[in-house]
Amino acid sequence: PAPAPGPASPPVEPPDDFCCPISLELMRDPVLLVESGRSFEKQNIDEWLQNHAVCPVTRRPLATKQTVRNIALRSAIESWVEANGSPGGAGPAQGAGPAPPAAPLPQAPPSLPTLPWEQRFNRE
Protein backbone atom coordinates (compact mmCIF):
# COMPACT_ATOMS: atom_id res chain seq x y z
CA PRO A 1 0.00 0.00 0.00
CA ALA A 2 1.09 3.56 -0.71
CA PRO A 3 2.02 5.66 2.32
CA ALA A 4 -0.54 8.19 3.46
CA PRO A 5 0.25 11.72 2.31
CA GLY A 6 1.66 14.04 4.97
CA PRO A 7 -0.16 17.12 6.16
CA ALA A 8 -0.66 19.70 3.45
CA SER A 9 1.52 22.75 3.74
CA PRO A 10 -0.33 26.04 4.11
CA PRO A 11 -0.75 27.97 0.86
CA VAL A 12 1.82 30.64 0.12
CA GLU A 13 0.28 34.11 0.11
CA PRO A 14 0.99 36.19 -2.99
CA PRO A 15 3.01 39.40 -2.72
CA ASP A 16 0.83 42.42 -1.97
CA ASP A 17 1.67 43.98 -5.35
CA PHE A 18 0.07 40.96 -7.09
CA CYS A 19 -3.30 41.62 -5.42
CA CYS A 20 -5.84 44.21 -6.52
CA PRO A 21 -6.19 46.98 -3.91
CA ILE A 22 -9.95 47.05 -4.53
CA SER A 23 -10.79 43.35 -4.13
CA LEU A 24 -7.64 42.11 -2.33
CA GLU A 25 -7.64 39.16 -4.75
CA LEU A 26 -4.79 37.94 -6.93
CA MET A 27 -4.93 39.84 -10.22
CA ARG A 28 -5.37 37.91 -13.49
CA ASP A 29 -5.70 40.90 -15.84
CA PRO A 30 -3.78 43.77 -14.22
CA VAL A 31 -4.00 47.26 -15.67
CA LEU A 32 -2.17 50.41 -14.69
CA LEU A 33 -4.21 53.51 -13.86
CA VAL A 34 -1.97 55.88 -15.80
CA GLU A 35 -2.34 59.01 -13.71
CA SER A 36 -1.83 57.35 -10.32
CA GLY A 37 0.69 54.70 -11.40
CA ARG A 38 -1.23 52.05 -9.41
CA SER A 39 -2.21 48.63 -10.76
CA PHE A 40 -5.67 47.08 -10.41
CA GLU A 41 -7.63 44.12 -11.74
CA LYS A 42 -9.15 45.45 -14.98
CA GLN A 43 -12.78 44.63 -14.15
CA ASN A 44 -12.52 46.16 -10.68
CA ILE A 45 -11.01 49.48 -11.76
CA ASP A 46 -13.36 49.73 -14.76
CA GLU A 47 -16.35 49.39 -12.41
CA TRP A 48 -14.83 51.89 -9.95
CA LEU A 49 -14.16 54.48 -12.66
CA GLN A 50 -17.75 54.30 -13.94
CA ASN A 51 -18.88 56.06 -10.75
CA HIS A 52 -15.80 57.86 -9.41
CA ALA A 53 -13.22 60.36 -10.65
CA VAL A 54 -10.64 59.65 -7.92
CA CYS A 55 -7.99 56.98 -7.47
CA PRO A 56 -9.40 54.32 -5.12
CA VAL A 57 -6.07 54.08 -3.26
CA THR A 58 -4.83 57.67 -3.01
CA ARG A 59 -8.29 59.31 -3.20
CA ARG A 60 -6.75 62.03 -5.36
CA PRO A 61 -8.85 63.43 -8.22
CA LEU A 62 -8.06 62.03 -11.67
CA ALA A 63 -7.82 64.27 -14.72
CA THR A 64 -7.95 61.13 -16.90
CA LYS A 65 -9.33 57.64 -16.33
CA GLN A 66 -6.94 56.05 -18.81
CA THR A 67 -5.70 52.52 -18.07
CA VAL A 68 -3.16 50.38 -19.90
CA ARG A 69 -2.46 46.67 -19.63
CA ASN A 70 0.34 45.91 -17.19
CA ILE A 71 1.98 43.11 -19.16
CA ALA A 72 5.10 42.95 -16.98
CA LEU A 73 3.02 42.54 -13.81
CA ARG A 74 0.82 39.92 -15.46
CA SER A 75 3.90 37.94 -16.47
CA ALA A 76 5.33 38.17 -12.94
CA ILE A 77 2.02 37.00 -11.43
CA GLU A 78 1.81 34.08 -13.87
CA SER A 79 5.38 33.05 -12.99
CA TRP A 80 4.60 33.29 -9.27
CA VAL A 81 1.44 31.16 -9.66
CA GLU A 82 3.38 28.58 -11.67
CA ALA A 83 6.03 28.35 -8.94
CA ASN A 84 3.73 28.55 -5.89
CA GLY A 85 0.23 27.59 -6.96
CA SER A 86 -2.77 29.83 -6.49
CA PRO A 87 -3.75 31.06 -3.02
CA GLY A 88 -6.00 28.48 -1.39
CA GLY A 89 -4.50 25.58 -3.37
CA ALA A 90 -3.87 24.55 -6.94
CA GLY A 91 -5.97 25.89 -9.78
CA PRO A 92 -7.52 29.33 -10.21
CA ALA A 93 -7.27 31.81 -7.38
CA GLN A 94 -9.79 31.19 -4.62
CA GLY A 95 -9.95 34.78 -3.37
CA ALA A 96 -7.50 34.42 -0.48
CA GLY A 97 -6.54 37.82 0.85
CA PRO A 98 -3.00 39.16 0.79
CA ALA A 99 -0.87 40.21 3.73
CA PRO A 100 -1.60 43.75 4.97
CA PRO A 101 0.15 46.58 3.12
CA ALA A 102 3.09 48.19 4.89
CA ALA A 103 2.10 51.83 4.30
CA PRO A 104 -0.67 53.51 6.32
CA LEU A 105 -3.92 53.63 4.40
CA PRO A 106 -5.84 56.83 3.66
CA GLN A 107 -9.34 57.33 5.01
CA ALA A 108 -12.13 57.61 2.44
CA PRO A 109 -14.06 60.86 2.37
CA PRO A 110 -17.65 60.29 3.53
CA SER A 111 -18.97 60.67 -0.04
CA LEU A 112 -17.01 57.65 -1.31
CA PRO A 113 -17.79 54.00 -0.61
CA THR A 114 -15.54 52.13 1.79
CA LEU A 115 -13.50 49.45 0.03
CA PRO A 116 -12.64 46.01 1.47
CA TRP A 117 -9.03 46.98 2.23
CA GLU A 118 -10.23 49.97 4.24
CA GLN A 119 -12.65 47.86 6.26
CA ARG A 120 -9.94 45.31 6.91
CA PHE A 121 -7.13 47.64 7.98
CA ASN A 122 -8.82 50.75 9.39
CA ARG A 123 -10.40 49.00 12.36
CA GLU A 124 -9.83 50.69 15.70
Side-chain angles (χ1 to χ4, degrees):
S9 60
V12 177
E13 292 296 323
D16 292 342
D17 290 340
F18 290 2
C19 298
C20 177
I22 296 173
S23 68
L24 301 178
E25 294 180 347
L26 186 67
M27 291 185 276
R28 296 294 181 187
D29 189 13
V31 295
L32 185 71
L33 183 57
V34 173
E35 191 170 336
S36 74
R38 306 268 181 174
S39 291
F40 301 89
E41 177 65 28
K42 181 175 180 3
Q43 180 179 350
N44 295 338
I45 194 63
D46 286 349
E47 289 174 7
W48 172 267
L49 294 174
Q50 287 177 8
N51 299 308
H52 306 94
V54 297
C55 173
V57 174
T58 66
R59 302 298 183 169
R60 292 190 177 131
L62 298 169
T64 177
K65 296 180 178 183
Q66 181 182 5
T67 61
V68 294
R69 301 251 185 230
N70 194 333
I71 298 166
L73 179 57
R74 182 176 182 158
S75 177
I77 292 169
E78 289 172 352
S79 294
W80 183 88
V81 168
E82 196 172 296
N84 298 285
S86 292
Q94 301 294 319
L105 301 173
Q107 294 289 326
S111 62
L112 295 173
T114 302
L115 297 174
W117 62 266
E118 293 171 312
Q119 294 169 355
R120 181 186 232 178
F121 302 112
N122 288 336
R123 295 181 187 152
E124 294 290 322

